[in-house]
């Protein structure tokens, strides 16, 4: 058996690297001209701090930087000066701060499946790239702070010198990301709520 006493530690540290895909759940004022989202794949990097609460239950804090590039295409053409106006390049660089409960099964030889769930917040560092100023909406950005709930699963593999832990998490926004003080404009006029949905695939090392 590898690392037989690893889980006896009350405090464990690690790091992760991974990939992400962002999508959006959009609720419209009127059911006309739905937006098209071209999803991109991004990169995740971050640190892990894990506190043992009791056997098979840990509290995990996993701050990281999540980058992504997504394209939003507006199918309604009226109100725009050119076709270039109907495309938003959403280059995201989010500082993501989740606090997660990790519930594990009993260890089976050198692996142990687990579930993770919790809440998180993120800080959006980017503005939208697009030709917005011609329509009176300059330097538009989504809400700077967002809040989510997260659900995921993974497996801990106990190797000879370290623990390797691949995982998959679904991330679901709890907050409308269109700012309340946004001026009337062709882009957000028909959007009631704009909510992020994401999938994180992380490879963690302890």
């Amino acid at each position: 058996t590898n690392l037989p006493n690893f889980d006896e530690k009350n405090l464990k540290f690690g790091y992760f690297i991974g990939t992400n895909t962002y999508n959006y759940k959009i609720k419209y004022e009127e059911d006309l001209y739905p937006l098209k989202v071209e999803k991109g794949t991004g990169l995740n990097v971050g640190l892990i701090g894990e506190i043992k609460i009791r056997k098979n239950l840990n509290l995990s804090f996993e701050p990281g930087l999540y980058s992504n590039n997504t394209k939003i295409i507006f199918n309604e053409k009226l109100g725009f000066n050119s076709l270039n106006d109907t495309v938003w390049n959403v280059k995201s660089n989010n500082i993501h701060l989740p606090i997660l409960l990790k519930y594990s099964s009993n260890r089976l030889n050198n692996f142990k499946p687990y579930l993770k769930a919790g809440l998180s917040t993120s800080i959006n560092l980017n503005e939208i790239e697009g030709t917005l100023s011609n329509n009176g909406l300059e330097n538009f950005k989504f809400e700077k702070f967002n809040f989510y709930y997260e659900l995921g699963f993974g497996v801990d593999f106990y190797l000879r010198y370290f623990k390797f832990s691949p995982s998959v998490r679904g991330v679901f926004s709890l907050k409308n990301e269109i700012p309340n003080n946004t001026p009337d404009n062709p882009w957000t006029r028909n959007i009631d709520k704009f909510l992020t949905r994401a999938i994180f695939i992380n490879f963690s090392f302890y």
Side-chain angles (χ1 to χ4, degrees), residues 121-133:
T121 185
S122 70
I123 304 170
N124 179 13
L125 304 178
N126 288 85
E127 297 176 346
I128 304 299
E129 286 192 2
T131 310
L132 308 182
S133 58

Side-chain angles (χ1 to χ4, degrees), residues 1-68:
T1 301
N2 296 327
L3 305 174
N5 300 317
F6 189 91
D7 291 333
E8 301 304 317
K9 300 176 183 178
N10 291 323
L11 187 61
K12 295 181 280 290
F13 295 99
Y15 65 93
F16 65 84
I17 186 168
T19 185
N20 65 69
T21 300
Y22 279 79
N23 201 347
Y24 304 99
K25 180 179 180 181
I26 304 169
K27 296 182 179 179
Y28 300 96
E29 296 284 355
E30 298 180 28
D31 193 18
L32 298 171
Y33 307 110
L35 309 186
K36 179 183 177 183
V37 178
E38 291 186 0
K39 295 179 286 187
T41 301
L43 180 68
N44 324 327
V45 291
L47 302 174
I48 303 169
E50 197 170 286
I51 299 172
K52 182 179 178 180
I53 298 175
R54 61 179 178 84
K55 182 182 178 182
N56 296 341
L57 185 64
N58 293 271
L59 184 67
S60 183
F61 179 52
E62 303 181 10
L65 177 65
Y66 289 71
S67 64
N68 190 280

Side-chain angles (χ1 to χ4, degrees), residues 44-199:
N44 324 327
V45 291
L47 302 174
I48 303 169
E50 197 170 286
I51 299 172
K52 182 179 178 180
I53 298 175
R54 61 179 178 84
K55 182 182 178 182
N56 296 341
L57 185 64
N58 293 271
L59 184 67
S60 183
F61 179 52
E62 303 181 10
L65 177 65
Y66 289 71
S67 64
N68 190 280
N69 190 6
T70 303
K71 185 175 289 186
I72 300 174
I73 299 171
F74 296 82
N75 293 320
E76 166 57 69
K77 307 303 185 204
L78 296 177
F80 297 104
N81 294 329
S82 71
L83 287 178
N84 289 335
D85 289 346
T86 65
V87 178
W88 277 359
N89 291 310
V90 184
K91 290 188 175 181
S92 301
N93 282 289
N94 294 315
I95 298 174
H96 195 74
L97 305 169
I99 296 179
L100 306 166
L101 280 173
K102 177 182 178 181
Y103 180 75
S104 306
S105 72
N106 291 326
R107 180 171 171 173
L108 305 169
N109 295 321
N110 286 318
F111 70 95
K112 183 166 65 172
Y114 63 83
L115 299 174
K116 273 187 177 180
L119 299 173
S120 59
T121 185
S122 70
I123 304 170
N124 179 13
L125 304 178
N126 288 85
E127 297 176 346
I128 304 299
E129 286 192 2
T131 310
L132 308 182
S133 58
N134 292 337
N135 282 275
L137 189 64
E138 198 163 2
N139 297 325
F140 178 79
K141 62 171 62 180
F142 294 121
E143 288 282 6
K144 189 174 185 65
F145 296 95
N146 204 351
F147 300 94
Y148 312 86
Y149 69 91
E150 305 192 13
L151 301 170
F153 65 91
V155 180
D156 287 332
F157 292 97
Y158 298 82
L159 306 181
R160 186 173 180 180
Y161 297 111
F162 61 91
K163 185 173 75 171
F164 171 60
S165 179
S167 64
V168 178
R169 275 204 325 268
V171 181
F172 308 91
S173 175
L174 295 167
K175 180 182 179 182
N176 186 9
E177 295 175 56
I178 302 296
N180 290 328
N181 60 353
T182 301
D184 181 65
N185 64 86
W187 294 277
T188 64
R189 184 176 297 141
N190 193 39
I191 297 176
D192 179 35
K193 289 186 178 179
F194 195 95
L195 305 166
T196 292
R197 298 287 186 264
I199 296 174

